[in-house]
Amino acid sequence: MKRSLSIAAITAIAITVVGGAAAAGSPAAGRTYYVAPTGNDSAAGSQTAPWASIAHAQSVVQPGDTVYFRAGTYAYAHADSGCKSQTDRVDAITLSKSGNSGNPITYAAYPGERPVFDFSKVKDNCRIKGFDVTGSWIHLKGLEVQGVPQNNNLNHESWGIWISGSDNVFELINAHNNMGPGLFIQDGGNNLVLDCDSHD
């Protein structure tokens, strides 16, 4: 049974459901890395010595690679840059490194586990994006995205995942309790949203 998809706001959207490497086919074999809440970014990134952050994983991965996130909470307390004004937009996580056709970069829940990205403690006083996906040929799968706040009354929304790249896949994402859309496609094209939930 397919899960329901409810997205509060999507603008300038182009979604591909059939055809293209983003929608079907297997990526070429790449390296596999691991991230865990108890990991260390100085570790090897292996299953037994995982990294701690998606930022470090992104600095290492190449097209065709997969990063598995182990169960637990990945908590964020601030964005990766400061607010220039109270109506500015800032990101807690920026995914800017792209894969390529047939070789996406995959960030996925480890099979059978539930990694939760919790942004509820971010205090930046402007509009906040939990994930800002500016790269292309990226596949996010099985991640839970929650709690992106809106910390002043000058703005009307923040976002769980903001997308401006192309040829990305968002699969089995559970976005909830964000003070604005769970998934928001601003620009780009050929982005596939598959079996995702956005609620509360």
Side-chain angles (χ1 to χ4, degrees), residues 149-162:
Q150 180 55 249
N151 292 322
N152 67 50
N153 60 10
L154 297 180
N155 306 301
H156 66 281
E157 62 187 4
S158 289
W159 306 271
I161 302 174
W162 172 291

Side-chain angles (χ1 to χ4, degrees), residues 82-166:
C83 298
K84 295 180 180 68
S85 71
Q86 287 188 297
T87 57
D88 193 16
R89 293 190 300 248
V90 294
D91 318 332
I93 297 169
T94 307
L95 295 180
S96 57
K97 183 182 279 188
S98 297
N100 56 49
S101 179
N103 294 285
I105 296 171
T106 300
Y107 301 96
Y110 187 79
E113 296 189 4
R114 181 173 159 244
V116 178
F117 288 81
D118 184 359
F119 303 99
S120 61
K121 292 182 171 50
V122 176
K123 301 302 182 192
D124 297 82
N125 192 19
C126 59
R127 295 180 289 178
I128 300 161
K129 304 171 193 173
F131 283 82
D132 188 8
V133 182
T134 63
S136 299
W137 300 106
I138 294 169
H139 186 176
L140 295 185
K141 182 177 181 180
L143 307 181
E144 188 165 334
V145 179
Q146 70 179 31
V148 179
Q150 180 55 249
N151 292 322
N152 67 50
N153 60 10
L154 297 180
N155 306 301
H156 66 281
E157 62 187 4
S158 289
W159 306 271
I161 302 174
W162 172 291
I163 300 123
S164 58
S166 298

Side-chain angles (χ1 to χ4, degrees), residues 8-9 148-150 156-160 176-183 198-200:
V148 179
Q150 180 55 249
H156 66 281
E157 62 187 4
S158 289
W159 306 271
H176 62 90
N177 296 100
N178 298 296
M179 296 184 74
L183 188 69
S198 180
H199 58 97
D200 295 297

